[in-house]
Amino acid sequence: MTAPGILWLTRDFRLHDNPALQAAIADGPLLPVFIIDRLTMTQGAASRWRLMRALQSLDATLRQRTGGKGITILRGEADEILPPLMKRLGVRRLHQSDWPTSEMRTLQGRMRAALRPAGAELVLHPGHLLVHPRAIRTGNGGAYRVYSPFARAVRQLGPDRPAADAPRRITACTEPLQGLDPLKLDLAPDLHRGRAALEQFAPPAGEGAALARLDDFLDRASAYPGGRDRPDLDATSGLSDHLAVGEISPRVVWARAMLRAEVSPEHAAGIGKFLSEVIWRDFSWHLLIEFPQMPVACCRPEWEGFPWRKDAPELIGWQRAETGVALVDAGLRQMWLTGRMHNRVRMVVASWLTKHLLIDWRAGLAHFADCLTDWDPAANAMNWQWVAGCGPNAAPYFRIFNPERRAEQYDPQGDYRRRWLAGFDGASCPEAEVWLQSIPPAWNRGPWLPGPPSMLAKGRNAALAALAQFRATISET
Ligand SMILES: Cc1cc2nc3c(=O)[nH]c(=O)nc-3n(C[C@H](O)[C@H](O)[C@H](O)COP(=O)(O)OP(=O)(O)OC[C@H]3O[C@@H](n4cnc5c(N)ncnc54)[C@H](O)[C@@H]3O)c2cc1C
C-alpha cells in the first residue's frame, strides 16, 4: 500500500487556498483526520457547534470528490493517536494548517515530541492570515502595535497570493479506519435550548456558502462605507463565521475583492474599506503572536492594577440581557440567538460592561467566547482590550460610549432593537419572541423593562472616578 498523505484538520475546512491539504495530497492518497480532543472541547459551545458544521460540510465535499471517502473523526488526544497511526501506515510527515494560539503551540510541541522518536515531523502551513507575521516588521524588526502603520505595511507588501485552486480530483486513502459518523456527531451537547435558535438563525455553513456570501457582498460593496455602522441594515459581509473556521481564506477574500474593484470601479471605495477591516483581523493575530497572553492578561501591564470588579452581581444581568439598556440587551439577545452581534453593538455592549459596570473585561470576553459562532481568539481579545482601554492600540478609557446616543445614531428607527428585544417600544418581532423560548426556564423572564435613565450618568461618573483614582495610583508608583 502507498503511504497516505495525512492532513491533521484543526481549522481551515476548505479546498481552495489550503497549502496543508495540497501538501498532504502531494505526499500520497489523502487521509484527513479530525480529532475531538480536550482543546476542541474547551472552546465555547456556540463556536464548537459552528466548527462541527464546518467539519460536516467539508466531509460531504470530500466524499463527492473522492467517491465516498470523507474525514476520519476520532476521539482522544491528537499527540497520542496520530504518531502510532502514522507509524503503522509508514507516514513521515503530518500536515497541519497553522493556528498560532498559545494552546495550539503547546499541543504542537507535544505532537513534535511524540513524532520525533520515529523520525517523523509536523509540518505547519500558512493559510490563516493575509501575510506571514515574520514578513511584517517595523524598522526596528519588532511587531507593529498600532493599526495604521501595520495596515500601510500590509498594503505595501501585498498579501500572499492564494495557493492554487481547489484540487479537482482527490485520491483518498483506502486503509479502513474506524471513525465517528460526522452526521451523528454532536460537538456541543451543552447548547441545550439555545441550539434550536442557532439552527433557525445561523446562515448556511461551508466553503460554497462562504464563496457565495463573499460574491453577494461584493455586489453591494458600494453601500458598505455608509451602512457598516448600522445594525438595522444588512450592510456588512457576514463573513466572520466562515473566516473563523477557515471555510474561506483571507487571501482568497483579498484576491477576489481586488479583482472586483478593478472590474466594478463603483465598488472600489467600499471594497477598500472592507479590506481595511480584513486587515484588522490580521492585525489581531499579529498581536496575539506578539502577546500570546492577550486573551488573559492586559497588554499594558499597568492596567492589571485597574480596580475592575471581579464578582459584581450585575455580571449575571449583563449575561442574561437584562441591563435595562435597550441597545445592550438587544445585542446580547442577538448574540444568544444567532451566534453573532453587529460590530458597533459589540463595542457598546463591551463598553457598558467594562465602564458603566466597571466589570473586568475578561468576564465579557469569556461570555462572548461561549456565545459567538464567529469566535476568534485574537479578534475577541484585541477588541475587548481595545474597548476596556488596556490594549496596545486601545481607545482611551475616558471615551465611554453612551448607549442611548449610539442607539439614535446606529438604529435611528429602532428596527434593530425591535427585532431582538421583545417588548421594546411596545412592539414585538417573531425573532424577539424566540429568545424567550430559547433561554433556560430558570431565568424566569417577563417583559423587557428599561432601567432608570439616571444609570447612564451614574455609571459614567463611576467609570471616570475609577480612572482618576487609577491614574493617581500609577503616577505615585
Ligand atoms: C468586544 C468585541 C469582540 C469581538 N469578537 C470577535 C470575534 O470573536 N470574532 C470576530 O471575527 N470578530 C470579533 N469582533 C470584531 C467584529 O465585531 C466582527 O469581526 C464583525 O462584526 C463581523 O461581521 P462581518 O463579518 O459582517 O464584518 P465586516 O464588516 O464585513 O468585516 C469583514 C471582516 O473583517 C474582520 N473584522 C471586521 N472588524 C474587525 C475587528 N474590529 N477586529 C478584527 N477583525 C475584524 C472580520 O473577519 C470580518 O468578517 C469583535 C468586536 C468587538 C468590539
Side-chain angles (χ1 to χ4, degrees):
M1 191 195 78
T2 322
I6 299 196
L7 174 65
W8 176 25
L9 271 165
T10 44
R11 279 286 183 291
D12 291 359
F13 295 92
R14 62 172 184 265
L15 298 187
H16 287 86
D17 189 25
N18 193 334
L21 171 72
Q22 282 177 340
I25 290 172
D27 274 2
L30 180 68
L31 177 58
V33 185
F34 179 83
I35 306 214
I36 306 172
D37 54 10
R38 273 195 303 264
L39 189 53
T40 312
M41 296 311 284
T42 50
Q43 233 178 266
S47 71
R48 239 183 297 124
W49 175 84
R50 182 63 181 80
L51 187 145
M52 177 179 76
R53 297 180 81 214
L55 180 66
Q56 289 167 335
S57 174
L58 180 62
D59 178 76
T61 309
L62 282 171
R63 280 175 200 271
Q64 278 168 7
R65 302 252 170 157
T66 60
K69 282 273 177 185
I71 300 168
T72 299
I73 303 171
L74 304 168
R75 209 182 281 278
E77 287 311 299
D79 56 313
E80 290 166 13
I81 292 177
L82 289 174
L85 177 69
M86 289 169 64
K87 197 168 175 190
R88 180 159 70 80
L89 300 176
V91 177
R92 305 293 290 272
R93 301 198 306 164
L94 175 64
H95 298 283
Q96 187 200 21
S97 200
D98 197 13
W99 204 61
T101 63
S102 70
E103 294 81 3
M104 186 56 83
R105 286 280 178 262
T106 306
L107 179 54
Q108 288 164 344
R110 291 210 315 264
M111 182 63 84
R112 284 201 178 92
L115 291 173
R116 206 168 295 126
E121 60 171 336
L122 170 66
V123 187
L124 299 180
H125 297 268
H128 179 61
L129 297 175
L130 286 171
V131 281
H132 196 284
R134 276 199 303 271
I136 294 278
R137 311 303 283 177
T138 63
N140 301 331
Y144 284 97
R145 289 163 180 237
V146 179
Y147 168 78
S148 301
F150 174 83
R152 258 197 309 277
V154 170
R155 286 183 191 276
Q156 228 162 44
L157 181 74
D160 301 336
R161 288 166 66 85
D165 261 352
R168 272 174 208 277
R169 274 179 53 95
I170 298 173
T171 308
C173 166
T174 50
E175 175 76 19
L177 286 168
Q178 205 48 260
L180 302 167
D181 181 346
L183 295 177
K184 294 193 182 136
L185 198 65
D186 185 2
L187 288 185
D190 44 341
L191 269 176
H192 304 299
R193 285 159 60 106
R195 169 189 296 268
L198 283 184
E199 278 165 1
Q200 179 177 342
F201 290 110
E207 183 169 12
L211 292 165
R213 178 102 206 165
L214 172 63
D215 286 343
D216 168 66
F217 169 72
L218 293 174
D219 285 342
R220 52 190 171 83
S222 57
Y224 184 73
R228 59 187 281 273
D229 288 346
R230 294 278 303 273
D232 56 335
L233 308 175
D234 183 19
T236 66
S237 71
L239 280 170
S240 53
D241 272 43
H242 298 295
L243 283 163
V245 287
E247 288 170 343
I248 191 167
S249 80
R251 305 189 299 198
V252 164
V253 171
W254 188 281
R256 284 200 180 206
M258 291 300 276
L259 199 63
R260 181 65 68 89
E262 247 176 70
V263 295
S264 314
E266 72 279 16
H267 290 309
I271 287 173
K273 184 72 200 141
F274 163 70
L275 291 178
S276 304
E277 299 305 313
V278 179
I279 297 177
W280 269 108
R281 175 182 175 277
D282 250 52
F283 182 55
S284 70
W285 277 91
H286 288 236
L287 283 180
L288 184 68
I289 292 164
E290 193 62 15
F291 301 106
Q293 295 306 307
M294 188 164 72
V296 291
C298 298
C299 290
R300 287 196 275 154
E302 69 277 16
W303 277 81
E304 291 298 347
F306 189 80
W308 309 110
R309 297 159 76 210
K310 305 264 186 229
D311 302 312
E314 293 91 339
L315 175 61
I316 292 178
W318 179 87
Q319 287 166 334
R320 294 184 180 180
E322 54 182 13
T323 63
V325 182
L327 188 62
V328 173
D329 291 344
L332 288 161
R333 291 185 190 196
Q334 183 197 9
M335 178 168 70
W336 181 271
L337 288 171
T338 66
R340 307 174 51 85
M341 194 194 299
H342 188 276
N343 181 52
R344 284 286 164 193
V345 186
R346 290 187 208 211
M347 287 177 176
V348 173
V349 162
S351 170
W352 184 261
L353 185 83
T354 54
K355 304 210 168 150
H356 282 81
L357 300 179
L358 278 170
I359 292 175
D360 195 314
W361 58 274
R362 283 159 279 221
L365 172 144
H367 185 62
F368 270 34
D370 200 35
C371 297
L372 284 173
T373 49
D374 71 6
W375 170 73
D376 173 304
N380 199 28
M382 177 192 72
N383 281 287
W384 271 98
Q385 294 220 27
W386 185 88
V387 176
C390 53
N393 186 28
Y397 185 85
F398 58 79
R399 198 169 293 157
I400 299 171
F401 287 102
N402 178 325
E404 294 298 343
R405 227 174 284 145
R406 296 292 164 164
E408 283 163 23
Q409 189 184 351
Y410 304 148
D411 184 30
Q413 274 85 44
D415 292 341
Y416 174 80
R417 282 163 289 167
R418 214 167 291 119
R419 181 167 184 205
W420 301 112
L421 200 55
F424 170 74
D425 224 7
S428 247
C429 285
E431 287 93 334
E433 295 295 330
V434 178
W435 184 80
L436 290 166
Q437 278 104 56
S438 76
I439 55 171
W443 290 11
N444 194 20
R445 296 302 307 278
W448 178 82
L449 291 173
S454 59
M455 68 185 181
L456 294 185
K458 221 171 112 187
R460 185 185 157 77
N461 293 340
L464 290 175
L467 177 66
Q469 188 196 341
F470 169 61
R471 276 193 176 145
T473 326
I474 51 175
S475 63
E476 275 166 20
T477 51

